Amino acid sequence: MTVLESPRNPRVRAAAELRDRRHRDRTGLTLVDGVREVARALDAGVEAVEVFASPERLGRDPEGRALAARLASGSVPVHPSSDAVLERIGFGDRAEGVVAVVRIPPLGLDRLQLPPDALVVVLERVEKPGNLGAAMRSADGAGASAVILADPLTDLFNPNAIRASLGTIFALPVASAPAPAVLEYLLGAGIVPWAARVDAQALYTDADLAGASAVVLGSEAHGLSATWSDPRVRPVRLPMLGVADSLNVSIAAAVLLYEARRQRGSGRPPGP
C-alpha cells in the first residue's frame, strides 16, 4: 500500500483538524493516539473510522504487533504513514506509531445503566484534559460505575484526556450534562451525592460510601458551583495540613474513591 508521506495530504489535514474542539464538536469524531489507547477503544466497541499507522513502529513490541494484526484482520481502513504524518496528528511524546480517528460515543445521562450500589464520579467544570484523564484512571482503578462531567470546560473525549487516561476512558460508562440536571439525575436514581468542599465540617472518612454514592469534585481554581450547596447534597472535606487548601482534582478523586472501595471491600476474592 502507498505510504502517506506528507502532512499536507488532505486526509491527514482532516484528521489533524480534530486536534481542535470545534472540529470534534462539528464532526462527532476524535483522535486516539497510542497502542493501548486504540486497543482499549476497540475493546469497548467504539467505532473506528480510519487508522494512521507505522508498521515499523508497531512491529517493535508484542502489544504493537498484536494491534497491527487485529487492524489487518478488520474492516477499518489503515493508512501506512510516515513519522512526519504521525507527528502531525499525534499527541504527547510517546511515538508508538498509531493514531485512530473514532466516533465519539453518545453522552446522555439516559444512556447510563447503573447497579443498585453504584459508585459514581462527578467532575464539574474541570478545565485541564490531563486532570480529567488522570481522574478517569482513578475511577477505573477503584471500580467506579460511571463518570459524569457537569458543565465541562473541556470535552470528555479530548485527545489529551484520552491519552492521560491510558484509554481507560473507554472502559467506563460516561455522560455529560449541566450541573442541575446531574444533581437531579443522581437524586432520582437514589444516589447520595457527597461533595468535596474545603469548608465542609465532616471529614471524608465520616461519609458512608458503602451504598449508592457519588463523589462530586470541582475545579482546583473555582471549586464547586452553588448547585452542590443544595441541602440534599452532603459536604465532606479532605484534611489539608500544609499551606495549600486543596489537592489536584485527580488526587482528591483517588482518595475519595479508594475510601469508598475500602468501605465496600476490595471487590476481589481472598488470596491463597
Side-chain angles (χ1 to χ4, degrees):
M1 296 179 65
T2 303
V3 176
L4 292 179
E5 297 281 358
S6 173
R8 297 186 181 89
N9 179 284
R11 189 181 296 276
V12 177
R13 291 173 64 182
E17 286 182 340
L18 298 175
R19 297 171 64 96
D20 188 312
R21 180 173 183 173
R22 292 172 300 172
H23 292 284
R24 295 195 296 272
D25 290 344
R26 177 177 60 81
T27 63
L29 302 174
T30 192
L31 298 170
V32 183
D33 180 8
V35 171
R36 279 176 297 185
E37 291 80 355
V38 172
R40 285 171 176 164
L42 297 176
D43 289 344
V46 173
E47 179 188 349
V49 175
E50 60 184 342
V51 177
F52 299 84
S54 165
E56 189 273 330
R57 288 192 195 179
L58 287 180
R60 292 175 182 171
D61 61 69
E63 284 187 347
R65 290 192 291 273
L67 178 60
R70 181 176 183 178
L71 292 170
S73 65
S75 59
V76 179
V78 180
H79 311 299
S81 303
S82 68
D83 288 353
V85 165
L86 291 171
E87 288 170 7
R88 177 72 179 89
I89 60 178
F91 283 77
D93 57 2
R94 289 188 293 139
E96 297 183 5
V98 61
V99 181
V101 176
V102 306
R103 198 165 303 283
I104 296 171
L107 297 175
L109 288 170
D110 58 343
R111 300 183 64 86
L112 294 179
Q113 296 182 356
L114 302 178
D117 60 346
L119 175 58
V120 177
V121 183
V122 177
L123 302 171
E124 184 186 54
R125 298 179 64 82
V126 172
E127 299 177 78
K128 296 180 180 179
N131 286 344
L132 175 57
M136 283 285 179
R137 290 177 65 181
S138 296
D140 175 70
S145 307
V147 176
I148 302 174
L149 264 62
D151 294 324
L153 297 182
T154 186
D155 50 322
L156 184 55
F157 286 94
N158 181 301
N160 278 320
I162 296 172
R163 196 72 187 260
S165 81
L166 296 182
T168 57
I169 196 169
F170 297 113
L172 287 164
V174 293
S176 179
V182 175
L183 175 58
E184 295 306 322
Y185 170 81
L186 295 173
L187 296 171
I191 298 170
V192 179
W194 297 90
R197 306 187 68 97
V198 295
D199 57 353
Q201 294 299 309
L203 288 173
Y204 76 100
T205 47
D206 297 328
D208 180 4
L209 301 170
S213 306
V215 296
V216 185
L217 302 111
S219 69
E220 296 98 325
H222 305 293
L224 290 169
S225 71
T227 296
W228 306 101
S229 298
D230 187 292
R232 298 170 294 178
V233 177
R234 305 185 187 183
V236 292
R237 64 181 173 87
L238 279 67
M240 300 297 297
L241 307 181
V243 297
D245 63 358
S246 65
L247 297 173
N248 177 283
V249 65
S250 65
I251 301 299
V255 171
L256 288 164
L257 284 166
Y258 277 94
E259 171 61 18
R261 180 52 51 207
R262 183 192 68 81
Q263 293 183 20
R264 294 163 180 242
S266 68
R268 298 180 183 274

